């Protein structure tokens, strides 16, 4: 669309690929100094001492807490022996390379490494929930901040994200917080309706318009009059129907199949997709004009593996009323859930918890403790305890221990690389390792597997 700035994604490997190095800055996104920032040229020391390049007034931050270096376009983070540590997600970092865009936690403060031209539109919300959505992580609180603002308006919202991240929960929550909350909330699943029936389902039809049309029928747009229409799986919308959707959005009118008279509708549209629609436009599968009409406010729901710090709170909410009073969400079971990559996101977490509770309950014990629940999550969730089940007690202790450690390294490495799409830099940062140590771990696992082949 003319007049819009192109959306560019950059990372710490940009320079290595021969592209220009992007100027960077460090921004305080939460904590006592929220909104403060400092340029990141070559080296930036962060701490509570007045001599630091970025001074933080957080009592949990050490005098000299962390050092961020920028060398040849790459970013490295080094904890300076701080008393409370430096964290990337849930991983404590001693020294690691991180990508541009990384968010670090020092004390109770969160800082982000961003392109120098990036401007944060809104500060993160102070709330830990928005309607049916929950999240204590910075990623979710940034989303809540946007949703809190747009809910009260009538603008169109495009919600992106993987399956199971809560896109429909976001849509319902926007509707519930809007002035249309007393009106209808209608869901139209673009992937569930046969293409030949999609127009009728969306716009309605008149009696006799086609075989089987035995009576007039209101479509999704008319059903949502003075309310909200949620277009789920937007990327599956038939191409031939897209111009009619665009026309309805532009004019506020719909025409039922078999009718010559358009009808006025007052509808707010929220759309969701797990596809990259700009790529779909390039492939000729989605209309560019419709994309830009829907893309007024875009929100991308983070995957659960991107916000592992939210897992304890989510588990507590999903198990509310199902555990003995005062039972804690902690211990080995919580560690197991936190280590899993959750390809099905929050939906998978909900199903795993429901299954565990259903299998644990008996008429005599309708409630069992969290520690007693059994979670079978697959190889990506392997923990030392479960790996140890495969180690033979008939071999010497040192051999058994070696087998256990190798199994753990193999399972952890496979899960880590899968979680970060094979990106060594990101995987190393998440694990709190340098790239050198990451490569050593990979080599150690490969050599051990070659010895046993």
């Amino acid at each position: 669309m003319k007049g819009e700035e192109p959306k560019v994604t950059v990372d710490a490997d940009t320079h290595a690929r021969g592209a220009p190095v992007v100027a960077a800055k460090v921004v305080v996104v939460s904590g006592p100094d929220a909104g403060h920032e400092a340029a990141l040229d070559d080296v930036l020391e962060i701490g509570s001492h007045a001599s630091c390049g970025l001074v933080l007034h957080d009592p949990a931050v050490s005098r000299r807490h962390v050092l961020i270096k920028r060398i040849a376009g790459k970013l490295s983070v080094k904890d300076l022996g701080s008393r409370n540590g430096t964290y990337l997600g849930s991983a404590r970092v001693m020294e690691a390379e991180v990508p541009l865009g990384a968010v670090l936690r020092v004390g109770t403060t969160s800082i982000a490494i961003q392109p120098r031209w990036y401007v944060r539109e809104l500060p993160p919300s102070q709330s830990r929930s928005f309607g049916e959505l929950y999240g204590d992580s910075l990623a979710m609180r940034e989303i809540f901040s946007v949703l809190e603002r747009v809910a009260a308006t009538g603008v169109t919202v495009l919600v992106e994200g993987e399956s199971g991240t809560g896109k429909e929960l976001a849509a319902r929550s926007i509707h519930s917080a809007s002035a249309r909350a007393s009106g209808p909330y209608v869901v139209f699943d673009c992937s569930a309706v046969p293409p030949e029936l999609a127009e009728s389902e969306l716009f309605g039809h008149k009696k006799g318009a086609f075989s089987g049309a035995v009576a007039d029928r209101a479509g999704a747009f008319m059903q949502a009059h003075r309310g909200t229409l949620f277009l789920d799986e937007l990327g599956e919308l038939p191409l031939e129907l897209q111009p009619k959707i665009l026309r309805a959005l532009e004019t506020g009118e719909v025409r039922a199949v078999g009718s010559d008279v358009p009808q006025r509708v007052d509808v707010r549209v929220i759309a969701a997709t797990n596809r990259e629609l700009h790529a779909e436009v390039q492939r000729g599968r989605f209309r560019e004009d419709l994309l830009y009409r829907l893309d007024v406010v875009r929100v991308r729901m983070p995957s659960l593996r991107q916000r592992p710090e939210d897992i304890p709170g989510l588990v507590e909410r999903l198990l509310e009323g199902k555990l003995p009073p005062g039972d804690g969400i902690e211990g080995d079971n919580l560690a197991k859930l936190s280590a899993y990559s959750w390809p099905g996101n929050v939906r998978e977490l909900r199903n795993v918890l429901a299954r565990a509770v259903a299998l644990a309950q008996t008429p005599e014990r309708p409630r069992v403790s969290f520690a007693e629940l059994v979670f079978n999550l697959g190889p990506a969730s392997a923990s030392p305890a479960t790996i140890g089940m495969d180690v033979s007690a008939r071999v010497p202790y040192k051999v058994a221990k070696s087998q256990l450690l190798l199994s753990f390294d193999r399972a952890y490495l496979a899960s880590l690389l899968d979680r970060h799409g094979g990106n060594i830099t990101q995987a190393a940062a998440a694990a709190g390792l340098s790239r050198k140590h990451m490569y050593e771990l990979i080599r150690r696992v490969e050599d051990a597997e070659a010895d046993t082949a």
Side-chain angles (χ1 to χ4, degrees):
M1 178 178 282
K2 292 181 179 179
E4 290 197 359
E5 293 186 3
K7 297 179 176 66
V8 181
T9 301
V10 293
D11 57 36
D13 292 328
T14 302
H15 181 81
R17 294 194 296 266
V21 175
V22 178
K25 63 182 179 180
V26 174
V27 181
V28 182
V29 294
S30 70
D33 303 286
H36 292 192
E37 59 183 63
L40 175 56
D41 295 317
D42 297 319
V43 177
L44 179 65
E45 191 175 49
I46 300 171
S48 60
H49 195 270
S51 64
C52 291
L54 178 59
V55 180
L56 300 177
H57 301 88
D58 180 347
V61 169
S62 298
R63 289 164 60 84
R64 289 183 170 80
H65 198 109
V66 64
L67 186 71
I68 302 178
K69 291 183 179 180
R70 182 179 179 84
I71 302 173
K74 295 185 178 181
L75 302 169
S76 68
V77 172
K78 182 179 181 180
D79 184 87
L80 299 176
S82 65
R83 63 181 182 276
N84 291 318
T86 300
Y87 290 83
L88 179 65
S90 60
R92 184 165 184 168
V93 175
M94 301 306 295
E95 186 171 5
E97 286 187 11
V98 298
L100 197 60
V103 177
L104 303 170
R105 178 165 55 84
V106 292
T108 62
T109 296
S110 293
I111 57 175
I113 307 174
Q114 297 172 343
R116 192 92 50 98
W117 44 260
Y118 178 83
V119 178
R120 180 174 294 277
E121 296 176 294
L122 296 169
S125 173
Q126 295 303 306
S127 176
R128 266 54 181 172
S129 65
F130 177 78
E132 300 175 60
L133 296 170
Y134 164 81
D136 189 52
S137 63
L138 176 64
M140 288 302 292
R141 290 190 293 110
E142 286 184 324
I143 286 182
F144 296 160
S145 182
V146 174
L147 299 185
E148 287 164 357
R149 300 291 181 95
V150 303
T153 72
V155 299
T156 304
V157 180
L158 178 61
V159 187
E160 297 179 322
E162 298 175 9
S163 177
T165 51
K167 297 187 291 295
E168 185 172 356
L169 293 183
R172 283 208 304 262
S173 299
I174 292 171
H175 171 74
S176 297
S178 73
R180 297 173 179 265
S182 60
Y185 172 79
V186 177
V187 178
F188 181 82
D189 190 340
C190 301
S191 67
V193 180
E196 62 273 15
L197 296 178
E199 183 175 1
S200 170
E201 292 293 321
L202 269 172
F203 305 118
H205 62 252
K206 303 296 288 184
K207 179 181 178 180
F210 51 83
S211 177
V214 297
D216 290 356
R217 184 179 186 279
F221 268 92
M222 287 304 301
Q223 293 172 33
H225 183 57
R226 294 181 179 173
T228 302
L229 175 60
F230 176 51
L231 298 177
D232 199 11
E233 302 296 347
L234 180 68
E236 308 297 329
L237 190 68
L239 189 61
E240 61 273 14
L241 196 59
Q242 293 177 23
K244 297 180 180 181
I245 293 276
L246 177 61
R247 191 176 305 116
L249 294 174
E250 294 284 3
T251 65
E253 295 182 340
V254 297
R255 184 174 301 181
V257 178
S259 173
D260 295 327
V261 181
Q263 294 176 285
R264 295 289 300 176
V265 289
D266 175 16
V267 172
R268 182 193 196 162
V269 171
I270 301 174
T273 181
N274 60 8
R275 294 195 177 194
E276 175 46 65
L277 291 185
H278 285 279
E280 293 297 288
V281 168
Q282 297 302 315
R283 298 185 186 108
R285 298 175 187 166
F286 203 87
R287 289 180 62 101
E288 185 176 33
D289 48 4
L290 177 58
L291 172 59
Y292 285 121
R293 179 59 182 80
L294 292 168
D295 191 10
V296 179
V297 174
R298 188 192 310 186
V299 174
R300 182 162 191 86
M301 303 299 294
S303 63
L304 189 52
R305 63 183 172 275
Q306 292 175 311
R307 52 184 187 110
E309 60 268 43
D310 286 340
I311 290 177
L314 286 168
V315 172
E316 185 174 3
R317 283 176 162 237
L318 293 170
L319 292 181
E320 188 174 2
K322 298 176 182 178
L323 302 176
D327 192 33
I329 308 299
E330 57 191 10
D332 291 342
N333 261 350
L334 178 58
K336 186 174 185 179
L337 295 177
S338 298
Y340 186 49
S341 61
W342 298 108
N345 293 294
V346 180
R347 182 184 293 123
E348 184 184 9
L349 174 63
R350 180 184 294 109
N351 293 342
V352 163
L353 295 175
R355 172 185 169 85
V357 170
L359 294 179
Q361 289 174 331
T362 66
E364 297 77 24
R365 296 188 66 204
R367 293 188 181 186
V368 296
S369 70
F370 180 69
E372 293 177 276
L373 298 179
V374 176
F375 303 120
N376 290 309
L377 304 174
S381 66
S383 66
T386 57
I387 294 169
M389 299 294 289
D390 298 325
V391 177
S392 173
R394 293 187 295 269
V395 300
Y397 169 77
K398 288 186 178 180
V399 175
K401 182 179 179 181
S402 177
Q403 291 173 344
L404 172 62
L405 292 175
L406 175 60
S407 297
F408 173 80
D409 285 347
R410 184 188 296 115
Y412 181 83
L413 187 61
S415 174
L416 184 68
L417 292 175
D418 177 68
R419 185 172 178 176
H420 296 280
N423 186 306
I424 299 295
T425 299
Q426 293 180 10
L433 300 172
S434 66
R435 287 220 311 181
K436 177 184 177 182
H437 290 157
M438 188 68 179
Y439 280 118
E440 288 176 354
L441 175 60
I442 294 172
R443 190 159 47 248
R444 186 164 67 246
V445 170
E446 289 177 344
D447 290 347
E449 290 178 341
D451 290 341
T452 58

